[in-house]
Amino acid sequence: MEIKRTIKYEADRVPGFGRDVMSVPGCEALEHCIQCGTCSGVCPLSIYMDYTPRQVMELVRSDFKNEVLQSHTIWLCASCYACTTECPRQIRITDIMYELKQRAIKEEVYPKRFPIPVLAEEFTKMVHDYGRISETWLVTKMYLRTNPMAALGMAGLGMNLMKTGRFSLKQDKIEHREELAKIMEAVDHENGKAKA
Amino acid sequence: MKYAYFPGCSLKGTGRAYEESLLPVMKHLGVELQELDDWNCCGATAYMAVDEGKACAAAARNLAIAEKSGLQQILAPCSACYLVLNKTQHYLHEYPAMRQTVSRALATVGLRCDGSSAVRHPLDVLINDIGLEAVKQKITRPLKGLKVAPYYGCQIVRPYATFDDQSNPTTMDRLLETLGATVIKWPLKTKCCGGSLTGTLPEAGLRLSYILLKEAIKRGADVIATVCPLCQFNLDAYHPKIAAKWEPVPIPTVYFSQLMGLAFGLPADQVVLNRGMVPMKPLAAAMA
């Protein structure tokens, strides 16, 4: 039996984290959270989360950086925006979840073989390389990096897609890939400059 | 009426039945669609999770191409594309820093985006530009006796509902009734289908789709009508997995545009019911 402390120490905080998140466009209103729990109530996935959305809001505001960035919660958010729509304080909870996902990827604290962030990364890479998504290749790449054996369980689905003419191995691409690459590079440049 | 058309990746892939049915329906209604030249992926929900600045810039390239084309209205049928393009417009208007970053990035390739175009959903265009009266005039085979569960999903009304209510949208209900169908009471119309979690975390994702299918059958629906390629995929293609995990809930899920094509009497290769995996029997019976 593993005994774990369930109450957090104040020393676990990373002072300034909450302020920093709340300074990001779209995340400002977090300051006004009244901890009513409407977000957790309407969230279709909160029953699977280690911290409910309401708890994540308070953890962020109270500087518990490590807890939120390592939580499953941020990856379980399916971006249905139910919480954002229902929040009585107009907090854009979905956008805060996006901000936390970006930070978890940047700091490399997400579970490496967890399919959700892996899918996000492979998706992004494919947009960079080709400008468009080809679903078959995207899913294949995700399985190869997370659980190659599980791909076998997808054979039936592939067959059905073939039967209905919805399966394609063609990697769709845009014509001006260099244009998109240049735009992306310029964003990196701008952001680097902004931080310097 | 002429619109710039942003298909998105899914409508060229697993969601091709959406494009294959929507284009003839729009043409039948006298709407001209011009596909955006060399459009790129909108970024969907995945890109925002990795890099917001780049996600906005990639989406804004499409907005810039639309502005260059001179067409003020962009038709985006896919829910994710519709949301992301709208979100980008909002960010460009609301956040000067983001606008500056994106404008400078676009300028490196001679593109410009002043955020002047409107991103529209087909339901919005059908109700507000074309009008249900014009739709009614094209009906040759009313969908009499067909009971439909209207499924809007998340991202066309949330968070930027511009043409419908966020928790109880009714545009598709009204459209389906105009087609002669019976719209069933369906409190799950904006509940999440699980999105990409059906693939990444089946335990959670598939259950959400299962609940939708089960409740549609329980409420007497013959068919579910959707507006989103991911919703259609989850409710249709994952049915065998859902049946194995819980119980068979075989109800077909089609795009609203396929039902329009049926009611307009368009040929089978423009209604493309053959693209569905769950048998379309209830639909065929209702049409006989």
Side-chain angles (χ1 to χ4, degrees):
Chain A
M1 189 168 66
E2 192 195 356
I3 306 288
K4 272 172 89 177
R5 173 164 58 95
T6 57
I7 304 283
K8 287 169 221 337
Y9 284 144
E10 199 184 345
D12 297 337
R13 296 164 65 232
V14 178
F17 175 69
R19 283 270 143 235
D20 192 33
V21 171
M22 284 186 273
S23 71
V24 174
C27 304
E28 308 91 338
L30 173 57
E31 198 175 355
H32 309 303
C33 176
I34 53 171
Q35 287 288 294
C36 66
T38 303
C39 46
S40 304
V42 296
C43 177
L45 291 147
S46 59
I47 54 170
Y48 297 96
M49 292 171 172
D50 43 3
Y51 295 111
T52 61
R54 178 189 65 82
Q55 289 175 311
V56 169
M57 293 305 108
E58 192 51 54
L59 285 168
V60 172
R61 194 165 58 174
S62 308
D63 297 333
F64 286 99
K65 176 183 172 183
N66 299 324
E67 285 75 3
V68 285
L69 292 194
Q70 288 167 33
S71 76
H72 294 151
T73 300
I74 56 178
W75 299 110
L76 285 173
C77 171
S79 315
C80 82
Y81 292 88
C83 51
T84 302
T85 302
E86 301 295 332
C87 176
R89 305 297 285 176
Q90 284 81 46
I91 301 167
R92 297 191 193 169
I93 299 156
T94 314
D95 292 335
I96 294 172
M97 294 292 179
Y98 274 129
E99 177 61 27
L100 298 174
K101 288 180 215 189
Q102 292 179 53
R103 286 171 187 247
I105 287 182
K106 214 172 279 165
E107 306 209 359
E108 302 196 340
V109 290
Y110 65 92
K112 288 290 165 305
R113 282 159 66 92
F114 198 36
I116 304 167
V118 170
L119 182 72
E121 279 193 332
E122 288 297 336
F123 190 106
T124 306
K125 224 171 21 212
M126 194 175 274
V127 174
H128 269 259
D129 294 348
Y130 302 106
R132 286 187 194 169
I133 293 299
S134 293
E135 293 145 316
T136 312
W137 289 115
L138 179 66
V139 171
T140 307
K141 283 176 181 169
M142 180 194 81
Y143 276 115
L144 286 179
R145 274 185 56 190
T146 55
N147 186 358
M149 289 312 282
L152 295 175
M154 302 303 280
L157 178 62
M159 287 298 289
N160 283 335
L161 283 172
M162 248 178 249
K163 264 189 241 164
T164 50
R166 292 158 70 179
F167 184 84
S168 170
L169 284 176
K170 193 178 136 241
Q171 172 66 57
D172 206 2
K173 330 176 172 157
I174 61 170
E175 200 182 315
H176 298 291
R177 292 194 290 287
E178 75 298 335
E179 185 179 296
L180 190 61
K182 214 168 160 190
I183 292 172
M184 298 309 202
E185 216 174 279
V187 173
D188 273 339
H189 184 68
E190 285 287 323
N191 286 343
K193 216 163 58 179
K195 263 169 210 145
Chain B
M1 271 180 270
K2 189 171 176 184
Y3 300 83
Y5 169 53
F6 184 83
C9 307
S10 287
L11 267 73
K12 300 288 181 188
T14 56
R16 56 189 297 182
Y18 197 177
E19 179 175 87
E20 287 167 337
S21 58
L22 183 67
L23 296 185
V25 160
M26 286 306 204
K27 196 173 167 196
H28 202 66
L29 288 165
V31 175
E32 201 183 326
L33 299 178
Q34 183 185 313
E35 188 166 323
L36 272 190
D37 191 31
D38 205 35
W39 57 269
N40 58 266
C41 170
C42 72
T45 53
Y47 215 125
M48 284 270 172
V50 178
D51 189 322
E52 196 167 73
K54 285 186 190 172
C56 274
R61 176 175 176 267
N62 295 309
L63 298 172
I65 293 171
E67 284 177 22
K68 207 162 103 182
S69 79
L71 293 168
Q72 291 299 307
Q73 313 264 333
I74 307 169
L75 189 78
C78 167
S79 297
C81 301
Y82 175 76
L83 169 72
V84 171
L85 294 180
N86 259 315
K87 188 171 186 168
T88 303
Q89 292 278 36
H90 274 263
Y91 274 34
L92 296 179
H93 284 290
E94 285 169 39
Y95 304 119
M98 180 65 87
R99 187 169 57 237
Q100 191 181 27
T101 303
V102 169
S103 303
R104 284 187 181 161
L106 290 175
T108 60
V109 294
L111 283 173
R112 219 177 138 245
C113 171
D114 56 20
S116 60
S117 47
V119 181
R120 310 279 306 274
H121 190 271
L123 282 181
D124 177 15
V125 167
L126 282 163
I127 299 274
N128 296 313
D129 295 7
I130 299 168
L132 291 178
E133 203 40 56
V135 171
K136 204 171 185 173
Q137 281 169 14
K138 295 288 182 194
I139 297 172
T140 58
R141 282 200 325 196
L143 306 179
K144 279 270 169 292
L146 187 69
K147 283 178 277 176
V148 189
Y151 182 49
Y152 297 76
C154 315
Q155 302 196 332
I156 72 159
V157 285
R158 290 195 301 259
Y160 304 113
T162 50
F163 68 92
D164 213 332
D165 188 81
Q166 290 189 326
S167 41
N168 184 26
T170 55
T171 44
M172 184 163 41
D173 295 41
R174 283 182 278 153
L175 174 68
L176 293 167
E177 276 163 4
T178 302
L179 301 179
T182 306
V183 174
I184 64 152
K185 283 220 182 321
W186 174 240
L188 298 130
K189 48 165 83 159
T190 63
K191 283 272 180 284
C192 178
C193 69
S196 54
L197 292 177
T198 46
T200 49
L201 195 72
E203 161 59 29
L206 290 180
R207 182 181 286 273
L208 293 177
S209 283
Y210 165 57
I211 293 169
L212 290 170
L213 294 168
K214 190 170 83 166
E215 292 296 319
I217 293 175
K218 203 164 107 188
R219 285 169 167 75
D222 298 314
V223 60
I224 297 173
T226 179
V227 300
C228 171
L230 188 52
C231 296
Q232 202 283 335
F233 190 90
N234 283 341
L235 297 179
D236 182 41
Y238 279 115
H239 180 258
K241 285 197 185 294
I242 290 169
K245 224 172 159 71
W246 293 285
E247 60 177 320
V249 273
I251 176 170
T253 304
V254 299
Y255 298 102
F256 71 95
S257 46
Q258 290 177 285
L259 294 178
M260 291 183 78
L262 267 185
F264 289 176
L266 298 182
D269 64 348
Q270 296 179 10
V271 183
V272 290
L273 293 179
N274 56 316
R275 297 269 186 239
M277 294 181 199
V278 174
M280 296 282 167
K281 263 187 215 128
L283 214 49
M287 296 318 303

